[in-house]
Amino acid sequence: MIKAGIIGATGYVGTELVRLLKNHNNVDIKFITSQSYIDKEYDSIYENFRDVFPMKCTEQNVELIANEVDVIFMALPHGIASKEIDSKILEKTKVIDLGADYRISDREIYENWYNTSHLSSELLDEAVYGLCEINREKIKKARLIANPGCYPTCSILTLAPLFKENIIDIESIIIDAKSGVTGAGRSLNIGTHYTECNESMKAYGIASHRHTPEIEEQLSCIANNNVFVSFTPHLIPMNRGILTTSYAKLKDKLTYEEVKKIYEKHYKDEYFIRLTKENVLPETKWVKGSNFCDIGFKIDDRTGRIIVVGAIDNMIKGAAGQAVQNMNILFGLDESTGINGVSIFPV
Amino acid sequence: MIKAGIIGATGYVGTELVRLLKNHNNVDIKFITSQSYIDKEYDSIYENFRDVFPMKCTEQNVELIANEVDVIFMALPHGIASKEIDSKILEKTKVIDLGADYRISDREIYENWYNTSHLSSELLDEAVYGLCEINREKIKKARLIANPGCYPTCSILTLAPLFKENIIDIESIIIDAKSGVTGAGRSLNIGTHYTECNESMKAYGIASHRHTPEIEEQLSCIANNNVFVSFTPHLIPMNRGILTTSYAKLKDKLTYEEVKKIYEKHYKDEYFIRLTKENVLPETKWVKGSNFCDIGFKIDDRTGRIIVVGAIDNMIKGAAGQAVQNMNILFGLDESTGINGVSIFPV
Amino acid sequence: MIKAGIIGATGYVGTELVRLLKNHNNVDIKFITSQSYIDKEYDSIYENFRDVFPMKCTEQNVELIANEVDVIFMALPHGIASKEIDSKILEKTKVIDLGADYRISDREIYENWYNTSHLSSELLDEAVYGLCEINREKIKKARLIANPGCYPTCSILTLAPLFKENIIDIESIIIDAKSGVTGAGRSLNIGTHYTECNESMKAYGIASHRHTPEIEEQLSCIANNNVFVSFTPHLIPMNRGILTTSYAKLKDKLTYEEVKKIYEKHYKDEYFIRLTKENVLPETKWVKGSNFCDIGFKIDDRTGRIIVVGAIDNMIKGAAGQAVQNMNILFGLDESTGINGVSIFPV
Amino acid sequence: MIKAGIIGATGYVGTELVRLLKNHNNVDIKFITSQSYIDKEYDSIYENFRDVFPMKCTEQNVELIANEVDVIFMALPHGIASKEIDSKILEKTKVIDLGADYRISDREIYENWYNTSHLSSELLDEAVYGLCEINREKIKKARLIANPGCYPTCSILTLAPLFKENIIDIESIIIDAKSGVTGAGRSLNIGTHYTECNESMKAYGIASHRHTPEIEEQLSCIANNNVFVSFTPHLIPMNRGILTTSYAKLKDKLTYEEVKKIYEKHYKDEYFIRLTKENVLPETKWVKGSNFCDIGFKIDDRTGRIIVVGAIDNMIKGAAGQAVQNMNILFGLDESTGINGVSIFPV
């Protein structure tokens, strides 16, 4: 059994981790920590766990927990993990950080976009960007995994094969992304007050969202070239799900079948990536509650563009599910253990 | 492995059965039938199953399927199962009927409320009403199980202990029930067109809903007396979940603690029934996607009434999940096998 | 032109008042006050008013405002109006209080249910309960109007004729009420965080909601007898609308037609009360955005009960719209001036 | 009084026309026609009109109605208006067509994208594209107005000033549009069944949506050059509202202030177009239920792009409201008569 600690277990990502790890046959949850709910029983905070998981939340003492567990999941706002983690911790336990602190390898870019100082930048070189389908081999040997952001997961997975095969103009990339409201977390805010966001939609963070440099670094790495993208997230009145609609100029005229082969080449053995059939496009309902990333695309001969649509569950493939997938890789388990279910529908 | 056939696999209850049985370690789905999608692959109908469950739908040939399987699940509109099932079928296989045909033991009452003729009323005596927590012993030996309706499941479970202990006035019962829209099924209808039911609510079937006699028969049986109830269902703009708010006059003044003991007496060993703490009331989100039934209550000294609130997922404890629970009982498995998960939240 | 001041213009009820009064041909809004947004332009708070109503919010100086206006609307949490209003204010201006302070004539009952002290109880005798269709004559001459609560408006209007004609058992009344989330206001709260209340429903305040004594006082007054009710509100995942489903024992057997005549007797000349046809029940979408109260009912011969359903828009007939209706009565205008529109559908 | 006939009064656009015209002080609705509801009272179809507008629907006899009214509104699926309208009708009455038949001046393009034959293409030259803020002068003198599509209205209004001032690369235009479900109309369809589209989102009609050539023709006309766009609509789980997020390469580096002046130059006198302040972006809730089009933008120096966001109510500025605005222009009324209200919020 893998002994696990969850730091920040009472946020939305934290509770999704609790649920997934509790169901995972190879995991034993040893610690769940919280700042606001120390000593409270978990099922009095999230009552879906009523009578099923009454474990008490403890203080966020990472050093102490590191002594007792095989893996620590950090589900915290950016800036906290980098304060808590150092190489001594990593000598004791694996760390999967679901925050942003180790996702961007360039300290300066991180500090600019996040408007803060990085407190353990000496670990940036070591940290592995945990996008499983792209970095699997590196993940196997990692001590510190930076679990990708929700938008980057969907954006990068849908575009990677096009960059790998060098068929698109790297200056032409536009990613128009839409997310359900769980992406905004559990902190109270007028923008996520029910009556303020129900039955409305909006764009936010245009040309300034912090997932932009994360997407750009990974795509640049795949393209072997500096990629800059226009990335626009939108808030959509629904609980879960991310849909990205990405636009790119094709360097040459290609048919649907030709591009399909490219996707199949890279993804045909990936359990969690599913290509839709021609003329079928991903919808978030088909992935909600699952760790799948569905991808579909269309070629627009009139404009010479390819339009690729990706769909994930932002809390699962975009956060807790991918963290478990990373853990499975780290510990040599079958990659889909505990996260292989399909979406409940309609839910 | 239990070999299973699902008759009517492409409705909402059918697809929930497919999902639950596919995940069930002791079950092998042998047949899925459909009327509209014969020969179509299941994952082209419900794309959450993309690449995961591409089995083809076949014709609804119950006799043939009965030869090949250990259990048949019937997920059909009322009136069809009673045409298909006879004692010859029951000699070959167990049948769990998720429709209404065998829920009411009195043929005349059935025919009046459903405005139809019963085509296999000779089986009514044999059929066992599959409300697991109430009829477990009978279910174990049954060949034909009438899986309860969604509203009756929630209504009866919340009220049963009060009747068993004879503490309420049987003429005073009012059940005000609210359901999400999955309860109306997948058939197109102006009332369930998105823009017609989103952001609105309504009562329907007042004093005439077909679940009324089903509730009354079971409560009468428990009370050893003729119970008549006022039952009012409402349509609520959300996908899943039933909440029942039931009102009854207490025969004598009782405290919260005294009534709590009554509930505990009957339900303390029931995995799927969870009592909320004092001053905590059930919410559908805490049971959605799970097979739990959450129950909470309040005593109103001013009016001498007890108000009991129950919450279930109408598609699971109210349909497919309870059917699997019945199968588990029938085949001697642990009752929660394959259906023991908690709600995904927020979803 | 009626000069009006709105105290508490930046809550949800306040902004609905602003919208209705701005459209009202006989009203000139002179002051809008706020606690959090002093000196801010109204259209930077509620951007639906962009460029259309840029008036600045001022401090909540009731005495000063009373000198300048013909009517003051108070849209504040309970306990504040009773501090601000006294007979000197009433000598200068009419006051329509949309809070709870003057709704209950018995000071002790108010203080018990609201758990506070009343600071101007000397005005309780004078205050008129502003349920327009019931108290029209008193309203005409009032200086201080207690605008009814949202649930009481719907509950009382649906039940009043039955009490007036003495056809129901006063001990049998159960009111099961459901409300959209605007009823909870704009203050941040985990219970109204989007992802916590979307796609879920719950009961709250069972046997303890503060609208209970308000309903009971008015029904008692109409019945000429002490009425106690079981009142249960529910939170429903939608923005607007209240639906009440009320249950009462009929003293004698009555037909649908006989009861219909009773409703018509009392309401046939009321513009804002609309009876549905037989077998048609109110839905909140048909009244949303309007000042109408729709009423429908069914007689259940099996149980001897009448079930009455009422629907209103909680922000309009249940708050700001009825306040404008009260103003129209006070100032001798046609009662529907400025509030006669029908629901936008689908919205 | 302007005598008006509404052909197709029982669809969603039709009922919005009925609501707006019934409230319009200068309009007398003389005829409402329907195919499915002939001789039925309007308030039995749309019960928000209960007791307020009980007019009966009549047959769709355009010729006869043309004799009796000053203006006919056609709210029909494409292909029907072009069968019904000819120059004889236009000699008798003005026609405002809310369908697609006269929106595209090039018959061939229309026939290709709509996959049908045009039955009155001789009128295409005469028809005026009724985007009020762009074509006001032509509208004044028109007999036949092609009321714009919902997506084109929002797309063109947000981009027009950029084309007029020639500051963007015409080959770089991408319009990512999102719509609420009313855009799909009232016809039953599995895709708009409540439980199929609630809590999910999807793209549809990529590179093939019929509003594409409409947008391109108008933008080409403004740009004096052939404009081709990538246009992707999305279905969002909410009733009303369109949001367009448009991307364009700036020819030269421009500041926010410089671009703002361009928008102000073109729109400062337009009542229905509202620019948001810097760093404030349009949200559909602020325009829902109103005829406003809100526009905001951001300049992304990193990529050299401008991102412009527009928001409208698809049923009002995107359909019925703009039709009334066109009527107001046609008959010399103040352009905002009957449609000057702000959004109800929260609704």
Side-chain angles (χ1 to χ4, degrees):
Chain A
M1 293 295 271
I2 303 163
K3 285 174 284 183
I6 304 170
I7 313 298
T10 56
Y12 283 160
V13 172
T15 195
E16 193 61 314
L17 274 171
V18 169
R19 186 180 66 84
L20 292 173
L21 295 175
K22 207 202 142 327
N23 278 338
H24 195 295
N25 288 329
N26 305 80
V27 174
D28 192 4
I29 301 175
K30 287 293 187 191
F31 296 89
I32 52 175
T33 82
S34 171
Q35 294 204 310
S36 330
Y37 300 101
I38 295 169
D39 282 335
K40 284 206 75 173
E41 294 177 343
Y42 200 72
D43 67 343
S44 71
I45 306 162
Y46 285 103
E47 298 184 34
N48 47 332
F49 289 98
R50 179 176 292 128
D51 301 350
V52 172
F53 188 68
M55 183 179 273
K56 279 195 178 161
C57 296
T58 62
E59 266 186 287
Q60 184 182 303
N61 191 328
V62 178
E63 213 181 319
L64 199 126
I65 293 171
N67 292 326
E68 311 272 345
V69 302
D70 304 307
V71 61
I72 282 179
F73 293 88
M74 316 273 299
L76 301 166
H78 75 268
I80 302 180
S82 63
K83 217 179 341 188
E84 298 278 2
I85 303 300
D86 55 25
S87 55
K88 269 189 284 181
I89 298 282
L90 296 182
E91 282 161 24
K92 301 177 188 172
T93 185
K94 304 274 189 183
V95 171
I96 298 174
D97 178 28
L98 290 92
D101 291 7
Y102 304 103
R103 290 177 191 161
I104 293 171
S105 62
D106 184 320
R107 174 191 179 144
E108 206 177 324
I109 291 179
Y110 173 84
E111 295 185 338
N112 277 343
W113 284 80
Y114 283 85
N115 200 21
T116 186
S117 300
H118 201 294
L119 300 175
S120 54
S121 57
E122 72 281 3
L123 297 176
L124 286 175
D125 272 358
E126 172 173 4
V128 172
Y129 189 74
L131 190 52
C132 309
E133 286 76 9
I134 305 290
N135 284 339
R136 187 173 286 118
E137 292 311 312
K138 287 187 193 156
I139 292 164
K140 286 180 182 169
K141 296 166 283 189
R143 297 194 303 173
L144 172 57
I145 289 176
N147 208 60
C150 51
Y151 288 125
T153 295
C154 196
S155 302
I156 299 164
L157 288 176
T158 55
L159 291 172
L162 308 181
F163 278 108
K164 279 192 184 149
E165 302 297 323
N166 194 22
I167 63 171
I168 51 175
D169 172 359
I170 62 164
E171 296 202 342
S172 70
I173 313 303
I174 284 164
I175 302 169
D176 192 281
K178 299 95 183 163
S179 175
V181 184
T182 47
R186 207 186 196 203
S187 301
L188 301 187
N189 188 296
I190 188 69
T192 49
H193 191 55
Y194 182 84
T195 41
E196 299 282 325
C197 69
N198 186 39
E199 292 289 306
S200 189
M201 54 183 158
K202 64 174 175 187
Y204 66 99
I206 296 187
S208 59
H209 193 278
R210 288 159 170 176
H211 284 172
T212 311
E214 183 181 338
I215 295 168
E216 289 179 344
E217 175 176 336
Q218 298 302 319
L219 291 182
S220 296
C221 181
I222 292 166
N224 245 319
N225 210 328
N226 285 326
V227 175
F228 296 95
V229 305
S230 284
F231 169 68
T232 309
H234 297 76
L235 189 69
I236 302 298
M238 48 189 279
N239 282 341
R240 277 194 187 214
I242 278 179
L243 194 82
T244 58
T245 309
S246 298
Y247 302 82
K249 276 272 179 196
L250 287 168
K251 288 185 170 173
D252 298 298
K253 207 169 169 172
L254 290 171
T255 65
Y256 179 85
E257 281 306 323
E258 287 167 327
V259 177
K260 195 181 172 195
K261 272 186 194 127
I262 286 174
Y263 276 101
E264 285 172 345
K265 173 179 167 192
H266 290 278
Y267 289 147
K268 71 173 181 304
D269 295 330
E270 295 295 345
Y271 179 76
F272 289 121
I273 298 189
R274 308 188 298 191
L275 303 178
T276 59
K277 299 219 173 83
E278 190 168 3
N279 295 320
V280 173
L281 292 168
E283 308 185 25
T284 57
K285 67 184 174 190
W286 302 127
V287 298
K288 188 166 63 161
S290 83
N291 197 51
F292 292 105
C293 174
D294 282 4
I295 299 176
F297 65 92
K298 189 112 184 182
I299 287 167
D300 183 5
D301 287 329
R302 293 171 64 254
T303 62
R305 292 198 183 93
I306 181 170
I307 297 101
V308 196
V309 178
I312 63 167
D313 182 318
N314 55 308
M315 304 303 287
I316 304 195
K317 184 61 177 170
Q322 185 150 255
V324 173
Q325 190 181 353
N326 273 309
M327 181 199 73
N328 287 341
I329 296 174
L330 270 179
F331 290 87
L333 301 174
D334 181 287
E335 206 163 311
S336 70
T337 311
I339 46 173
N340 65 344
V342 302
S343 181
I344 305 180
F345 178 79
V347 77
Chain B
M1 294 296 269
I2 302 163
K3 286 173 284 183
I6 302 171
I7 312 299
T10 55
Y12 283 159
V13 172
T15 194
E16 193 60 315
L17 274 171
V18 169
R19 186 181 66 83
L20 292 173
L21 293 175
K22 209 204 141 325
N23 278 337
H24 196 294
N25 289 329
N26 306 80
V27 174
D28 192 4
I29 302 175
K30 286 294 186 189
F31 296 89
I32 52 174
T33 82
S34 172
Q35 294 204 308
S36 329
Y37 300 102
I38 296 170
D39 281 335
K40 284 207 74 174
E41 294 177 344
Y42 201 72
D43 66 344
S44 71
I45 306 164
Y46 286 104
E47 298 183 33
N48 47 333
F49 290 98
R50 180 176 291 127
D51 300 350
V52 173
F53 188 69
M55 182 179 275
K56 279 194 178 162
C57 295
T58 61
E59 267 187 285
Q60 183 182 304
N61 191 329
V62 179
E63 213 181 318
L64 198 127
I65 292 171
N67 291 327
E68 312 272 345
V69 302
D70 303 308
V71 60
I72 283 179
F73 292 87
M74 316 275 298
L76 302 166
H78 75 267
I80 301 179
S82 63
K83 217 178 341 190
E84 298 278 2
I85 303 299
D86 55 26
S87 55
K88 271 188 283 181
I89 298 284
L90 295 182
E91 281 161 24
K92 301 177 188 170
T93 184
K94 304 273 190 184
V95 172
I96 298 174
D97 177 28
L98 290 92
D101 292 7
Y102 303 103
R103 290 178 191 160
I104 293 170
S105 63
D106 184 319
R107 173 188 180 147
E108 206 178 324
I109 292 178
Y110 172 84
E111 294 185 338
N112 278 343
W113 283 81
Y114 283 84
N115 200 21
T116 185
S117 300
H118 201 294
L119 300 174
S120 55
S121 57
E122 72 282 1
L123 297 176
L124 286 176
D125 272 358
E126 173 174 2
V128 172
Y129 188 74
L131 190 52
C132 309
E133 286 77 10
I134 304 291
N135 285 340
R136 186 174 287 120
E137 293 312 312
K138 286 188 194 157
I139 292 165
K140 287 180 182 170
K141 294 165 287 189
R143 297 194 302 174
L144 171 58
I145 289 176
N147 209 61
C150 51
Y151 288 125
T153 293
C154 195
S155 303
I156 298 164
L157 288 176
T158 56
L159 291 172
L162 308 181
F163 279 108
K164 277 190 184 149
E165 301 297 322
N166 195 22
I167 63 170
I168 52 174
D169 172 0
I170 60 166
E171 295 202 341
S172 70
I173 313 303
I174 284 164
I175 301 169
D176 193 282
K178 297 94 184 164
S179 174
V181 185
T182 46
R186 207 186 196 203
S187 301
L188 302 186
N189 187 297
I190 187 72
T192 49
H193 191 54
Y194 182 83
T195 41
E196 300 281 325
C197 69
N198 186 38
E199 292 288 305
S200 189
M201 54 182 158
K202 66 175 176 185
Y204 65 99
I206 297 186
S208 59
H209 192 278
R210 286 158 171 177
H211 285 173
T212 310
E214 183 181 338
I215 295 168
E216 289 179 343
E217 176 176 335
Q218 298 301 319
L219 292 182
S220 296
C221 181
I222 292 166
N224 245 319
N225 210 328
N226 286 326
V227 175
F228 296 95
V229 304
S230 285
F231 169 68
T232 310
H234 296 76
L235 190 70
I236 302 298
M238 47 189 279
N239 281 342
R240 278 195 187 212
I242 278 178
L243 194 81
T244 59
T245 309
S246 299
Y247 302 82
K249 276 272 179 195
L250 287 168
K251 287 185 172 172
D252 300 299
K253 206 168 170 173
L254 290 170
T255 65
Y256 178 84
E257 281 305 323
E258 288 167 325
V259 176
K260 194 180 174 197
K261 273 185 194 130
I262 286 174
Y263 276 101
E264 286 172 345
K265 173 179 166 191
H266 291 278
Y267 289 147
K268 71 172 181 303
D269 296 330
E270 294 296 344
Y271 178 76
F272 288 121
I273 298 190
R274 308 188 299 192
L275 303 179
T276 59
K277 299 220 173 84
E278 191 169 3
N279 294 321
V280 174
L281 292 169
E283 306 185 26
T284 56
K285 66 185 173 190
W286 303 128
V287 298
K288 188 166 61 160
S290 83
N291 199 50
F292 291 105
C293 174
D294 283 3
I295 299 176
F297 65 92
K298 188 110 185 184
I299 288 167
D300 183 4
D301 287 331
R302 294 171 64 254
T303 63
R305 291 197 183 93
I306 181 170
I307 298 100
V308 196
V309 178
I312 63 168
D313 182 318
N314 55 307
M315 302 304 285
I316 305 196
K317 185 61 178 171
Q322 184 149 257
V324 173
Q325 190 181 353
N326 273 310
M327 181 198 73
N328 288 341
I329 296 174
L330 270 179
F331 289 88
L333 302 172
D334 182 287
E335 206 164 313
S336 69
T337 311
I339 46 174
N340 65 344
V342 302
S343 181
I344 306 180
F345 178 79
V347 78
Chain C
M1 292 297 270
I2 302 164
K3 286 174 282 182
I6 303 171
I7 312 299
T10 56
Y12 283 160
V13 171
T15 195
E16 194 59 315
L17 273 172
V18 169
R19 186 180 66 82
L20 292 173
L21 293 176
K22 208 202 141 330
N23 277 337
H24 196 295
N25 289 329
N26 305 81
V27 174
D28 191 5
I29 302 176
K30 286 294 186 190
F31 296 89
I32 52 174
T33 82
S34 171
Q35 294 205 308
S36 328
Y37 299 102
I38 294 169
D39 281 335
K40 284 206 73 173
E41 293 177 344
Y42 200 73
D43 67 343
S44 71
I45 308 163
Y46 286 103
E47 299 182 34
N48 47 333
F49 289 98
R50 179 175 293 127
D51 301 350
V52 172
F53 189 68
M55 183 180 273
K56 279 192 177 163
C57 296
T58 62
E59 266 186 286
Q60 185 181 303
N61 192 329
V62 178
E63 213 182 317
L64 199 126
I65 293 171
N67 291 326
E68 311 273 343
V69 302
D70 303 307
V71 60
I72 283 178
F73 293 88
M74 316 275 299
L76 302 165
H78 75 267
I80 302 180
S82 63
K83 217 178 342 188
E84 298 278 3
I85 303 299
D86 55 25
S87 55
K88 268 188 283 180
I89 299 282
L90 297 183
E91 282 161 22
K92 298 178 190 170
T93 184
K94 304 275 188 182
V95 172
I96 298 173
D97 178 28
L98 290 91
D101 292 6
Y102 303 103
R103 290 178 192 160
I104 293 171
S105 63
D106 185 319
R107 173 188 179 148
E108 207 178 324
I109 292 178
Y110 173 84
E111 293 184 341
N112 278 344
W113 284 80
Y114 282 84
N115 201 23
T116 186
S117 300
H118 201 293
L119 300 175
S120 53
S121 57
E122 73 282 2
L123 297 176
L124 286 175
D125 272 358
E126 173 175 3
V128 172
Y129 189 74
L131 190 51
C132 308
E133 286 77 10
I134 306 291
N135 284 340
R136 185 172 288 121
E137 292 311 312
K138 285 187 195 158
I139 292 164
K140 286 181 183 170
K141 293 166 285 187
R143 296 195 302 175
L144 172 57
I145 289 176
N147 208 60
C150 52
Y151 288 124
T153 294
C154 196
S155 302
I156 299 164
L157 288 176
T158 55
L159 291 171
L162 309 180
F163 279 109
K164 277 191 185 150
E165 302 296 322
N166 195 22
I167 63 171
I168 53 174
D169 172 359
I170 60 166
E171 295 202 340
S172 70
I173 313 303
I174 284 165
I175 302 169
D176 193 280
K178 299 96 184 161
S179 175
V181 184
T182 45
R186 206 185 196 202
S187 301
L188 301 186
N189 189 295
I190 188 70
T192 49
H193 191 55
Y194 182 84
T195 42
E196 299 281 326
C197 69
N198 186 37
E199 291 290 305
S200 189
M201 55 181 158
K202 66 174 175 185
Y204 66 98
I206 297 186
S208 59
H209 192 279
R210 287 161 170 174
H211 284 172
T212 311
E214 183 181 337
I215 295 169
E216 289 179 344
E217 175 176 335
Q218 297 302 319
L219 292 181
S220 296
C221 181
I222 292 167
N224 244 318
N225 210 328
N226 285 326
V227 175
F228 296 95
V229 305
S230 285
F231 170 69
T232 309
H234 297 76
L235 190 69
I236 302 299
M238 48 190 277
N239 282 341
R240 280 196 185 210
I242 279 180
L243 195 81
T244 59
T245 310
S246 299
Y247 302 82
K249 276 273 180 197
L250 287 168
K251 289 186 171 173
D252 299 298
K253 205 169 170 171
L254 290 171
T255 65
Y256 179 83
E257 281 305 324
E258 287 167 326
V259 176
K260 194 181 173 197
K261 274 185 193 130
I262 286 174
Y263 276 101
E264 286 173 343
K265 173 180 165 191
H266 290 279
Y267 289 147
K268 70 172 183 305
D269 296 329
E270 294 295 345
Y271 178 77
F272 289 120
I273 299 190
R274 306 187 300 190
L275 303 178
T276 59
K277 298 220 172 84
E278 192 168 2
N279 294 319
V280 173
L281 291 169
E283 307 184 25
T284 56
K285 66 185 173 190
W286 302 129
V287 297
K288 188 166 62 160
S290 83
N291 198 51
F292 291 104
C293 174
D294 283 3
I295 299 176
F297 65 92
K298 189 110 183 183
I299 288 167
D300 183 3
D301 288 328
R302 293 171 64 254
T303 63
R305 289 196 185 94
I306 181 169
I307 297 100
V308 196
V309 178
I312 62 166
D313 182 316
N314 54 308
M315 303 303 285
I316 305 195
K317 185 61 179 171
Q322 185 150 254
V324 174
Q325 190 181 354
N326 273 310
M327 182 198 73
N328 288 341
I329 296 176
L330 270 178
F331 290 87
L333 301 173
D334 182 288
E335 207 164 313
S336 69
T337 311
I339 47 174
N340 65 342
V342 302
S343 181
I344 305 182
F345 178 80
V347 78
Chain D
M1 293 296 270
I2 302 164
K3 284 174 283 180
I6 303 170
I7 312 298
T10 56
Y12 283 161
V13 171
T15 195
E16 194 60 314
L17 274 172
V18 169
R19 186 181 66 82
L20 292 173
L21 294 175
K22 208 204 141 328
N23 278 337
H24 197 295
N25 289 328
N26 305 81
V27 175
D28 191 5
I29 302 176
K30 286 293 187 189
F31 295 89
I32 52 175
T33 82
S34 171
Q35 294 204 308
S36 327
Y37 299 102
I38 295 169
D39 280 337
K40 284 207 75 176
E41 293 177 346
Y42 200 73
D43 67 344
S44 72
I45 307 163
Y46 286 104
E47 298 183 33
N48 47 334
F49 290 99
R50 180 175 292 128
D51 300 350
V52 172
F53 188 69
M55 183 181 273
K56 280 192 178 164
C57 295
T58 61
E59 267 186 285
Q60 184 182 305
N61 191 328
V62 178
E63 212 182 318
L64 197 126
I65 292 172
N67 291 326
E68 312 271 343
V69 302
D70 302 307
V71 60
I72 283 178
F73 293 88
M74 316 275 299
L76 301 166
H78 75 268
I80 302 180
S82 64
K83 216 177 344 187
E84 297 280 1
I85 303 300
D86 55 25
S87 54
K88 269 188 283 180
I89 299 282
L90 296 182
E91 283 161 22
K92 299 179 189 170
T93 185
K94 305 274 189 183
V95 171
I96 299 174
D97 178 28
L98 289 92
D101 292 7
Y102 303 103
R103 290 180 191 159
I104 294 171
S105 63
D106 185 318
R107 173 189 180 145
E108 207 178 324
I109 292 179
Y110 173 84
E111 293 185 340
N112 278 344
W113 284 80
Y114 282 85
N115 200 22
T116 186
S117 302
H118 201 294
L119 301 175
S120 53
S121 56
E122 72 282 2
L123 297 176
L124 286 175
D125 273 358
E126 172 173 5
V128 172
Y129 189 72
L131 190 51
C132 308
E133 285 77 10
I134 305 291
N135 284 340
R136 185 173 287 121
E137 293 310 313
K138 285 187 194 157
I139 293 165
K140 286 180 183 171
K141 294 166 284 187
R143 296 194 304 175
L144 171 58
I145 289 176
N147 208 60
C150 51
Y151 288 124
T153 294
C154 196
S155 303
I156 299 164
L157 288 176
T158 56
L159 291 172
L162 309 180
F163 278 108
K164 278 192 184 148
E165 302 296 322
N166 195 22
I167 63 170
I168 52 175
D169 172 358
I170 61 165
E171 294 202 342
S172 70
I173 312 304
I174 283 164
I175 302 169
D176 193 281
K178 299 93 182 165
S179 174
V181 184
T182 46
R186 207 184 195 202
S187 301
L188 301 186
N189 189 297
I190 189 70
T192 49
H193 191 54
Y194 181 84
T195 42
E196 299 281 326
C197 68
N198 187 37
E199 292 290 304
S200 188
M201 54 183 159
K202 65 174 176 185
Y204 66 98
I206 297 185
S208 58
H209 192 279
R210 288 161 170 174
H211 284 173
T212 311
E214 183 181 337
I215 295 168
E216 290 178 344
E217 175 176 335
Q218 297 301 320
L219 291 181
S220 297
C221 180
I222 292 167
N224 244 320
N225 210 330
N226 286 327
V227 175
F228 296 95
V229 304
S230 283
F231 169 69
T232 309
H234 296 76
L235 189 70
I236 302 298
M238 48 189 279
N239 282 342
R240 277 196 188 210
I242 278 178
L243 195 81
T244 59
T245 309
S246 299
Y247 302 82
K249 276 271 181 198
L250 287 168
K251 289 186 170 172
D252 299 298
K253 208 170 167 169
L254 290 171
T255 65
Y256 179 84
E257 280 306 323
E258 288 168 324
V259 176
K260 195 180 172 198
K261 273 186 195 128
I262 286 174
Y263 276 101
E264 286 172 345
K265 172 178 167 191
H266 290 278
Y267 289 148
K268 71 171 182 304
D269 295 329
E270 295 294 344
Y271 179 77
F272 289 120
I273 299 190
R274 306 187 301 189
L275 302 179
T276 60
K277 298 220 172 83
E278 190 167 4
N279 295 320
V280 174
L281 292 168
E283 307 185 25
T284 56
K285 67 184 174 191
W286 303 129
V287 298
K288 187 165 64 159
S290 83
N291 198 51
F292 291 105
C293 174
D294 282 4
I295 299 176
F297 66 92
K298 189 112 183 179
I299 288 168
D300 183 4
D301 287 330
R302 295 171 64 254
T303 62
R305 289 197 185 93
I306 182 170
I307 298 100
V308 195
V309 178
I312 62 166
D313 182 318
N314 55 308
M315 303 303 285
I316 304 195
K317 185 61 179 171
Q322 184 150 256
V324 173
Q325 190 181 353
N326 273 310
M327 181 198 73
N328 288 341
I329 296 175
L330 270 179
F331 290 87
L333 301 173
D334 182 287
E335 206 163 314
S336 69
T337 310
I339 47 174
N340 66 342
V342 302
S343 181
I344 305 181
F345 177 79
V347 78

